[in-house]
Amino acid sequence: MNDMSEFEARTSATGRGWRAAIIAWAAVAVAILLLLRNDVAHIFNLWWNTDTFGHCLLIPPILAYLVWQRRSELSALTPKPWYPAAILMVIGGAGWLVGEASGVALLRHMAVVGLLIVSVPLIFGLTVSRGLAFVLFFALFMIPAGEQLVPILQTVTAAICIKLLEWSGIPAFIDGVFIAIPNGNFEVAEACSGVRFLIAMIAFSVLVANLCFKSWTRRILFVLSAIALSIIANGIRAFGTIYISHLTTPGFAAGVDHIIYGWIFFAIVMFLLVAIGWRFFDRPVDDPAFDPARLQPAPPAPSAPRAAYVAAAIGIAAMAAGPVYGLVVANRAPDTQTAAIVLPEVAGWQRIEGRPEWQPHYNGVSAEAIARYVDAEGQPIDLYIGVFDRQSEDGELIGYKQGLLPPETQWSWARNEKGPPNGRAQQIKNGGTVRDNWQFFLVNGKLTGSDYTAKIEGLKSRLLGGETLAGTLVISADRRDELVSAMPTIERFAAALGPVDTVIETATVER
């Protein structure tokens, strides 16, 4: 009787512990979602309105199903707060602050999801978290990430296309991501890179690998096969569009491609992937998600319900530290207020009247100016300078749709080329027009051509009190002949212009 009473008391205490832990975790989750609500709304907006991340809408229901699938095993475990996870909550809040200060939305999104994940071991403990290990890992697919792969995938897709065109005997010429055949010109644009298909396939293959395989070797091979199949299949799809165009017209081929890519292609590749892997599935349908006895050989004494509430309070305070500090540094005033940009006179070059039709696009810029110069031979060069008195989410050097490609135009990136010291070189195209560019960034007093260095310097400026002024200088020229580079002319102009950082700083006129 005493043993039975002790068992019933322990069971009752475990039940109270689960109820307290669930309530405490819900409080932490709500606090995270409310405090970082702007980023939560941004994440959901990307899920809802961006084709690349449309599959993310399915992740929360899948997570709920995976937890429900494990409910019997979880009920055999005893939740117990793991307080060291509060350190990870502080790191998550600091990660959000870094994303906020640097204007990198991906870091903020990672922080939101990461904080939700880390809150689980904080409230429920390590044993329960081990039982939910795959669920917590799969939650990472809620992060809208992967568009950074677009340039690489564009290049790979173009390479697959040109190789298949060569094998098929169709005369073709490739220039970066542009492919020309006798009856049409094609661009492997961002939408054709296959990134949205690849990201969705990775998430799908990881889920299938967990549900259908027990062997880690088979799981890894299945996911790697999904990645390879996705990339190769997208290259074949792009080749098919060009091949159909060769047989018919570009317009007809584009229409067929949209139908196939949107409705049929993804389903076919998923079917092939599962069909190939089917014979290697080694996990029974009724196989339990995990063994509670292995994770918890001897049930510990249940902690008092108040322990979960204490852990929740610690977690909320820990994760809020970074965002609160961010509110303080965000109110810092800019070092200067720029009224205008005055472009310099350049020895050996004459500035001419009129405004170039092309211009870099920088939303939220404090001041900007562009002008055209010509040398003695009449070769035109465009010089652009734009500055931000203080970078923010609404105006920054490195950001979405910021840079050399004006939105709502036909300009597109073609390739990167060997750049100058502390700068970078790019080629962009608009139909038959090819434009070469040198670009420099001046951030926190450092001159660079790297997006990442510019971001890091901007972060240091905002968090550690460095220079708030950030600017960019672009030297650009259209090619007179598509095959003859304008880079030597740009190099001559840059030599006559002088030190870029000095040019940017002396071009600003303060209020």
Side-chain angles (χ1 to χ4, degrees):
M1 290 293 294
N2 290 337
D3 290 342
M4 182 61 68
S5 299
E6 182 180 347
F7 173 77
E8 291 176 349
R10 181 180 291 274
T11 301
S12 176
T14 300
R16 291 195 302 273
W18 268 107
R19 286 192 295 271
I22 292 173
I23 294 172
W25 181 81
V28 175
V30 169
I32 294 171
L33 298 177
L34 287 178
L35 184 62
L36 306 180
R37 58 187 177 278
N38 290 337
D39 294 300
V40 173
H42 191 205
I43 290 173
F44 184 79
N45 181 65
L46 289 174
W47 291 358
W48 188 261
N49 295 310
T50 306
D51 291 339
T52 304
F53 305 119
H55 69 280
C56 292
L57 290 167
L58 299 175
I59 302 299
I62 292 174
L63 295 175
Y65 165 76
L66 292 173
V67 173
W68 179 255
Q69 185 189 47
R70 289 158 170 75
R71 65 191 184 282
S72 297
E73 292 88 348
L74 290 172
S75 64
L77 302 178
T78 302
K80 195 168 187 178
W82 187 59
Y83 294 107
I87 298 174
L88 299 179
M89 298 290 282
V90 173
I91 294 174
W96 178 90
L97 177 60
V98 170
E100 173 69 11
S102 62
V104 180
L106 176 59
L107 288 178
R108 299 197 305 274
H109 298 163
M110 291 173 62
V112 172
V113 176
L115 285 167
L116 290 172
I117 292 173
V118 171
S119 66
V120 173
L122 174 67
I123 303 299
F124 295 98
L126 289 179
T127 301
V128 173
S129 297
R130 288 171 63 193
L132 292 171
F134 177 75
V135 182
L136 299 179
F137 169 75
F138 197 71
L140 294 173
F141 286 104
M142 292 193 295
I143 302 171
E147 288 192 324
Q148 298 80 3
L149 298 173
V150 167
I152 298 174
L153 293 175
Q154 284 178 275
T155 302
V156 172
T157 301
I160 294 174
C161 280
I162 197 67
K163 183 59 67 176
L164 292 176
L165 288 169
E166 291 175 358
W167 289 348
S168 65
I170 299 175
F173 172 77
I174 185 170
D175 182 15
V177 296
F178 295 87
I179 297 175
I181 63 173
N183 68 326
N185 297 315
F186 300 87
E187 176 192 359
V188 181
E190 293 183 7
C192 302
S193 67
V195 66
R196 61 180 178 180
F197 179 50
L198 176 62
I199 296 172
M201 280 296 291
I202 292 175
F204 172 74
S205 65
V206 167
L207 180 62
V208 173
N210 176 261
L211 295 177
C212 302
F213 295 99
K214 296 183 71 173
S215 166
W216 274 101
T217 300
R218 296 189 181 192
R219 287 175 173 177
I220 294 171
L221 288 176
F222 184 78
V223 174
L224 292 178
S225 299
I227 294 172
L229 182 61
S230 300
I231 295 173
I232 294 172
N234 187 65
I236 295 173
R237 178 198 63 81
F239 159 74
T241 301
I242 298 176
Y243 188 77
I244 293 173
S245 174
H246 172 70
L247 298 177
T248 57
T249 64
F252 178 80
V256 172
D257 177 62
H258 282 278
I259 294 174
I260 293 177
Y261 189 53
W263 298 100
I264 302 174
F265 181 72
F266 185 74
I268 291 176
V269 176
M270 280 200 306
F271 174 79
L272 289 175
L273 179 67
V274 174
I276 294 171
W278 185 281
R279 61 175 296 184
F280 301 103
F281 288 175
D282 61 355
R283 184 171 188 176
V285 176
D286 58 351
D287 188 48
F290 62 90
D291 181 6
R294 184 176 63 85
L295 295 184
Q296 185 178 276
S303 58
R306 65 175 179 273
Y309 303 137
V310 171
I314 294 174
I316 293 173
M319 72 92 181
V324 169
Y325 178 77
L327 292 175
V328 175
V329 300
N331 294 323
R332 178 187 171 197
D335 297 334
T336 60
Q337 290 188 323
T338 305
I341 297 292
V342 177
L343 296 177
E345 298 296 326
V346 182
W349 296 78
Q350 179 182 355
R351 182 170 173 177
I352 61 177
E353 297 295 330
R355 185 182 184 88
E357 294 182 2
W358 168 88
Q359 177 176 327
H361 178 264
Y362 284 98
N363 187 49
V365 67
S366 300
E368 62 182 346
I370 187 170
R372 174 159 291 182
Y373 299 75
V374 295
D375 61 7
E377 298 177 357
Q379 171 66 48
I381 285 282
D382 296 328
L383 174 63
Y384 170 87
I385 296 178
V387 299
F388 296 84
D389 293 336
R390 183 185 64 186
Q391 296 191 83
S392 66
E393 184 71 16
D394 298 326
E396 55 186 348
L397 279 177
I398 312 300
Y400 181 63
K401 290 189 176 181
Q402 300 278 73
L404 301 182
L405 306 178
E408 312 302 330
T409 69
Q410 297 301 312
W411 285 103
S412 59
W413 170 83
R415 65 173 58 165
N416 294 325
E417 299 192 358
K418 183 178 180 181
N422 301 319
R424 69 181 181 190
Q426 290 184 320
Q427 181 190 109
I428 61 177
K429 282 189 174 184
N430 184 354
T433 302
V434 181
R435 179 172 280 259
D436 292 321
N437 305 271
W438 276 12
Q439 184 170 27
F440 305 85
F441 302 114
L442 180 64
V443 187
N444 197 27
K446 183 179 181 64
L447 192 67
T448 181
S450 166
D451 288 352
Y452 298 103
T453 301
K455 278 290 188 183
I456 291 172
E457 291 300 324
L459 174 64
K460 289 163 61 177
S461 168
R462 296 184 67 181
L463 293 184
L464 304 178
E467 298 180 22
T468 62
L469 181 71
T472 182
L473 183 147
V474 181
I475 307 172
S476 180
D478 286 338
R479 291 188 176 185
R480 290 181 171 178
D481 185 317
E482 186 173 343
L483 300 179
V484 180
S485 174
M487 293 298 183
T489 306
I490 292 176
E491 186 174 1
R492 284 196 297 110
F493 182 86
L497 183 64
V500 172
D501 49 355
T502 302
V503 173
I504 294 175
E505 291 171 347
T506 57
T508 59
V509 178
E510 296 184 23
R511 294 178 183 174

